[in-house]
Amino acid sequence: SFGVSNFSSSGLTFMQSPPLVGIAMRFDGYPVELMLDTGASSLMLFHSHWRMAPKVSHVQHSTNLAGDLVRRMVEFKTATIGTLDLGRQNAYFVEDGNNAQSEFDGLVNPALLGFRQISFDFAQNRFEWIR
């Protein structure tokens, strides 16, 4: 939904960079700013934005509209968004052409975090969810 939410749930302030929306998360204590992408097939993190990458468990090759993609899966022991502890979380490191200037550290689909409903309040830059 868009506008003031009637959710009595968790939420956080989001970053607007029209037409994109970014949210803050933490993986094993490491802070990241992720672009919300409801079409993303997985949680993807841009490799060039990480000083020390966690241990990669396996590599996948796939193809999408942008071309061939190599994804390196990692497992984080802890993942948080706002005050919500998501527990263990799998993510994929992808090469981003060494675009360290990008304002986002990766992208996330809210459905992959277990959110059944989401709300955007653009007047207050508030993102809320129901799990």
Side-chain angles (χ1 to χ4, degrees):
S1 66
F2 298 94
V4 177
S5 163
N6 60 358
F7 298 168
S8 58
S9 66
S10 299
L12 55 86
T13 301
F14 63 79
M15 178 186 83
Q16 263 186 268
S17 180
L20 308 174
V21 171
I23 58 168
M25 291 186 69
R26 287 186 171 271
F27 296 99
D28 292 347
Y30 188 89
V32 294
E33 190 74 33
L34 302 177
M35 179 177 67
L36 285 174
D37 182 349
T38 57
S41 62
S42 60
L43 171 60
M44 291 195 235
L45 303 171
F46 301 142
H47 187 263
S48 69
H49 288 240
W50 291 75
R51 284 177 255 130
M52 284 195 335
K55 182 180 175 187
V56 172
S57 64
H58 69 276
V59 176
Q60 293 180 341
H61 299 269
S62 64
T63 303
N64 62 22
L65 293 175
D68 294 331
L69 179 68
V70 177
R71 305 183 321 169
R72 293 169 173 81
M73 190 173 111
V74 297
E75 182 180 310
F76 293 101
K77 293 177 184 172
T78 62
T80 57
I81 176 172
T83 60
L84 178 63
D85 181 357
L86 298 166
R88 290 188 180 273
Q89 190 72 42
N90 289 334
Y92 292 91
F93 279 112
V94 295
E95 294 300 326
D96 59 323
N98 201 23
N99 186 9
Q101 300 294 327
S102 173
E103 62 192 296
F104 297 108
D105 300 311
L107 50 95
V108 62
N109 181 337
L112 297 176
L113 301 177
F115 298 166
R116 293 180 295 116
Q117 295 180 339
I118 57 175
S119 175
F120 296 95
D121 180 346
F122 288 97
Q124 297 182 31
N125 285 3
R126 185 98 179 133
F127 174 68
E128 296 183 352
W129 58 83
I130 294 177
R131 289 187 89 203

